[in-house]
Amino acid sequence: MLVPPDLVADAVAEARRALGPAVDSDWSIPATDLDWSCWTTGFHIADCLVFYASQIIDQATEGYVPFEITMTDGANPEELLRTIVVCGAILQRTVAAAQPGDRGYHNYGTSDAEGFTAMGVVETLVHTYDVATALGLHWRPPAEMCVPVLTRLFPDAPPGDPSDVLLWCTGRTVLDGRPRRTQWRWDGTVRD
């Protein structure tokens, strides 16, 4: 498997490690270049991880499972990071238990367990970057985590440092003279 389930656990552990030093910061400030706050962006990571697991379990050919997770009122950034790790475990265990023929709907293409794993890793890495940058932390997605998700979701990605390429593919940076993307999407469809 190109994108193993354990990569989700590695990505959320990295997010917790990267953002942990800023748990006493103001998470109500905007995340870098997003309309969301750092808090909302962090919550979005957790929500996506559970959402992707639910799509694999539901196996619908169209539409999404009609629910979202919520955070308890008064939860703090450390508790949000804990929630991200738990939601990552939900996705990791779901995709590890999935059968080869299991599929789930996504508006970027019906996908398999590996595709949803890659989506969860991308959401975690790029939004950790958004939050870390806004909070003054100098962090970049680890190259070794970027390579498999670039291969799986961005088959036309240009060559270069995998961290830079992932950030470029997701509209966060310029890359070797290529302008920053204003529109982008991944290809989650099942590969032969």
Side-chain angles (χ1 to χ4, degrees):
M1 184 175 263
L2 177 66
V3 186
D6 288 350
L7 192 58
V8 175
D10 295 343
V12 296
E14 178 63 17
R16 187 174 199 171
R17 186 200 65 73
L19 299 175
V23 294
D24 294 326
S25 297
D26 179 4
W27 284 52
S28 69
I29 66 170
T32 305
D33 296 328
L34 299 179
D35 293 332
W36 296 335
S37 68
C38 291
W39 177 269
T40 301
T41 304
F43 175 75
H44 174 75
I45 296 170
D47 191 48
C48 284
L49 295 168
V50 171
F51 167 73
Y52 296 150
S54 72
Q55 290 304 106
I56 284 291
I57 292 167
D58 187 48
Q59 295 194 44
T61 56
E62 57 185 60
Y64 296 125
V65 180
F67 79 97
E68 292 181 352
I69 65 170
T70 61
M71 292 291 294
T72 304
D73 287 342
N76 62 41
E78 175 58 39
E79 292 166 321
L80 176 57
L81 295 178
R82 178 179 165 207
T83 301
I84 290 169
V85 170
V86 169
C87 292
I90 292 169
L91 177 57
Q92 175 195 16
R93 292 175 187 185
T94 299
V95 298
Q99 299 300 310
D102 288 352
R103 301 290 184 265
Y105 173 81
H106 190 280
N107 63 331
Y108 288 179
T110 295
S111 200
D112 56 5
E114 180 182 71
F116 282 107
T117 301
M119 292 179 217
V121 172
V122 168
E123 294 281 2
T124 301
L125 295 179
V126 299
H127 288 311
T128 297
Y129 173 83
D130 296 333
V131 173
T133 303
L135 296 176
L137 302 170
H138 299 287
W139 180 86
R140 293 168 35 80
E144 66 276 7
M145 291 184 191
C146 298
V147 170
V149 297
L150 284 167
T151 302
R152 178 61 176 83
L153 296 178
F154 300 96
D156 296 330
D161 175 273
S163 299
D164 292 339
V165 172
L166 180 63
L167 294 173
W168 179 80
C169 283
T170 56
R172 276 141 178 93
T173 61
V174 297
L175 179 68
D176 298 332
R178 292 176 179 89
R180 185 174 173 176
R181 294 174 126 183
T182 57
Q183 295 183 354
W184 62 272
R185 63 185 282 167
W186 57 60
D187 179 1
T189 56
V190 179
R191 305 289 188 265
D192 292 331

